[in-house]
Amino acid sequence: MAKQGHEYTKDYREFALTLHLHGPKAYKYLRETRHFPLPHPHTIQRWLRSVDAKPGLNKMMLDMLERRCQGDQAKYGCVSLMLDAMSIRKHVQYNPHTQSMSGFVDMGDGNSETEVATEALVFMVVGLQGHWKTPIAYFLTKSLSPETQRVLLSHALEELHARGIRVVCVTMDGHASNVSMCNQLGCELKGDPREPLQTSFSHPVTGEKVFVMMDACHMLKLARNMLQAYSPIATTTGQINWRYINHLNDVQKKDGLHAANKITDKHVYFENHKMRVSLAAQTLSCSVSVTLRTMRDLGYSQFKDCEATAQFIEVQDAFKWYVLHINFMQVSERWYVTMYVDMMFSCLNVFFYAVLFLLELPCIQCVSGTRCF
């Protein structure tokens, strides 16, 4: 560990960077308490300034993936491309490293913009065979149109293909701009519900199928929000109604005992916790479905007609665990991965886009006064 000369060697730098990445607190402990001869964190920051981190596609990261793919085709040759946008605070400041102002809209094309960015759109690739992920691009935007987003996605697919990396699916949330972008690429996500959905589009270079997969966590929250906002929903087996969740919470609070489920006031009145996926997952869980039927069998009049709601929750729970328990590390052959992914996406997208369809439908009042779809 002793420093040799005035400069840190390449191996020494890599060790320090990796150690600091895994745990800054552990790094500080080893350096200050155990007196390991590690460089100061400011030195690490100065090393990282040489990394090209400008908006747009990161050529350095793409080239690194190409080298990894050439060394291990099975692990790095088949990926999922994820994209998501997040809100950022409006702020403009001078960057002394690039000697320019940062904070404006920047699509990575070198064009100067005068509008201050309010969102960051990030592209990330995740390995289907192996526990790895890496961002490959980000863009500072204000109001990105579906047409521009489609161009950016197509460019990312082309760059990955040029480096021998096959994109099996594109994962995103159920935002309206994302759905519109997918329709422009060749999908049919909001057509006639009686017709088959087109949940894939052709690769811009190879013409192979690229599946579109809505983020499971986001769609689970949408399903919960739909159940709460559009209840009652009429079905052939009865009404799906949010009030049964309310009744369950009231009974458990009154009796002071939870019937093997997680339902609390936070699950019922989730307006201040909309982003917490755990609340939606615990609400639409098998334990809640079983509890509703148990309450009915015990003679609670509030749960007399809860069967349709219990069945609806069971369906959400089944799809949730189907998504979460898939482990591609158990699949060794690449052709089998492709077949497995094809089968999984074709099945799951029926559920995900059904949720999108229900959220877009207008409220239709039938004779009994309940909402029907």
Side-chain angles (χ1 to χ4, degrees):
M1 292 295 299
K3 180 181 177 182
Q4 303 293 332
H6 297 286
E7 295 291 334
Y8 290 102
T9 63
K10 180 181 178 182
D11 292 339
Y12 205 106
R13 288 191 178 197
E14 290 181 353
F15 172 77
L17 287 169
T18 305
L19 181 60
H20 191 271
L21 172 66
H22 283 290
K25 290 184 178 180
Y27 187 92
K28 182 179 179 180
Y29 169 77
L30 291 175
R31 185 177 183 275
E32 298 180 0
T33 305
R34 307 300 299 177
H35 304 293
F36 276 56
L38 295 168
H40 194 276
H42 288 172
T43 304
I44 293 179
Q45 293 178 1
R46 189 173 68 252
W47 292 344
L48 294 176
R49 286 176 185 172
S50 61
V51 176
D52 180 16
K54 298 189 296 293
L57 284 168
N58 193 312
K59 300 294 184 181
M60 183 184 69
M61 192 64 68
L62 290 171
D63 292 340
M64 183 273 293
L65 283 176
E66 182 179 13
R67 294 192 296 270
R68 293 288 183 91
C69 184
Q70 291 172 352
D72 192 345
Q73 178 69 25
K75 185 176 181 180
Y76 295 94
C78 198
V79 302
S80 170
L81 177 60
M82 305 175 67
L83 60 101
D84 194 14
M86 64 177 66
S87 297
I88 58 176
R89 180 170 58 91
K90 285 186 176 182
H91 182 68
V92 178
Q93 68 178 26
Y94 178 73
N95 188 339
H97 181 61
T98 60
Q99 297 184 353
S100 62
M101 301 299 293
S102 300
F104 295 105
V105 172
D106 193 342
M107 305 302 292
D109 52 6
N111 295 331
S112 300
E113 299 285 349
T114 57
E115 291 185 305
V116 180
T118 59
E119 286 188 343
L121 176 66
V122 181
F123 285 12
M124 177 181 289
V125 292
V126 181
L128 293 183
Q129 286 186 285
H131 296 289
W132 66 271
K133 59 184 177 181
T134 181
I136 61 169
Y138 78 95
F139 307 92
L140 300 178
T141 68
K142 184 176 182 180
S143 57
L144 196 62
S145 66
E147 293 78 12
T148 305
Q149 194 166 311
R150 175 182 59 82
V151 173
L152 296 176
L153 177 59
S154 298
H155 190 200
L157 292 173
E158 292 169 359
E159 289 292 335
L160 289 169
H161 172 75
R163 288 162 173 78
I165 300 172
R166 181 193 173 195
V167 177
V168 174
C169 76
V170 178
T171 305
M172 66 199 78
D173 60 29
H175 195 273
S177 62
N178 291 336
V179 176
S180 179
M181 176 196 68
C182 294
N183 287 334
Q184 292 182 21
L185 287 168
C187 299
E188 288 292 341
L189 307 184
K190 285 192 175 181
D192 189 338
R194 294 167 296 183
E195 298 295 330
L197 293 172
Q198 177 64 33
T199 59
S200 64
F201 62 91
S202 299
H203 194 283
V205 179
T206 64
E208 294 180 337
K209 282 186 177 182
V210 179
F211 288 91
V212 174
M213 186 73 171
M214 296 300 177
D215 176 54
C217 296
H218 188 257
M219 300 306 293
L220 193 63
K221 290 186 290 184
L222 286 181
R224 186 270 314 271
N225 297 347
M226 179 196 69
L227 176 59
Q228 189 265 351
Y230 289 93
S231 292
I233 303 172
T235 68
T236 57
T237 58
Q239 288 187 352
I240 303 173
N241 206 318
W242 178 259
R243 65 184 172 90
Y244 295 116
I245 308 296
N246 272 318
H247 291 331
L248 176 59
N249 183 50
D250 293 340
V251 170
Q252 292 185 148
K253 286 198 302 181
K254 180 180 177 180
D255 296 344
L257 182 65
H258 279 255
N261 63 81
K262 301 287 187 178
I263 296 297
T264 62
D265 285 341
K266 286 185 178 180
H267 297 80
V268 177
Y269 309 105
F270 57 84
E271 287 76 12
N272 295 329
H273 309 280
K274 284 187 175 181
M275 300 304 295
R276 291 183 58 180
V277 181
S278 60
L279 295 182
Q282 291 166 0
T283 302
L284 303 178
S285 65
C286 185
S287 61
V288 174
S289 175
V290 172
T291 303
L292 292 179
R293 290 192 175 105
T294 302
M295 292 294 184
R296 178 198 60 192
D297 296 341
L298 290 175
Y300 284 83
S301 59
Q302 307 98 304
F303 303 92
K304 179 181 178 182
D305 301 315
C306 69
E307 182 59 30
T309 305
Q311 290 180 3
F312 174 81
I313 294 174
E314 273 186 343
V315 171
Q316 317 306 314
D317 185 75
F319 277 106
K320 174 184 67 179
W321 287 111
Y322 188 66
V323 171
L324 296 179
H325 283 227
I326 291 173
N327 186 356
F328 287 99
M329 291 297 291
Q330 297 176 353
V331 186
S332 57
E333 296 293 338
R334 181 176 175 181
W335 68 269
Y336 191 73
V337 170
T338 305
M339 182 189 69
Y340 196 68
V341 169
D342 194 331
M343 176 191 68
M344 181 190 71
F345 290 160
S346 298
C347 178
L348 289 179
N349 278 314
V350 173
F351 160 67
F352 290 141
Y353 296 118
V355 174
L356 284 178
F357 172 73
L358 288 174
L359 288 173
E360 292 296 325
L361 278 177
C363 175
I364 302 175
Q365 300 289 336
C366 67
V367 177
S368 62
T370 59
R371 295 182 177 92
C372 295
F373 297 110

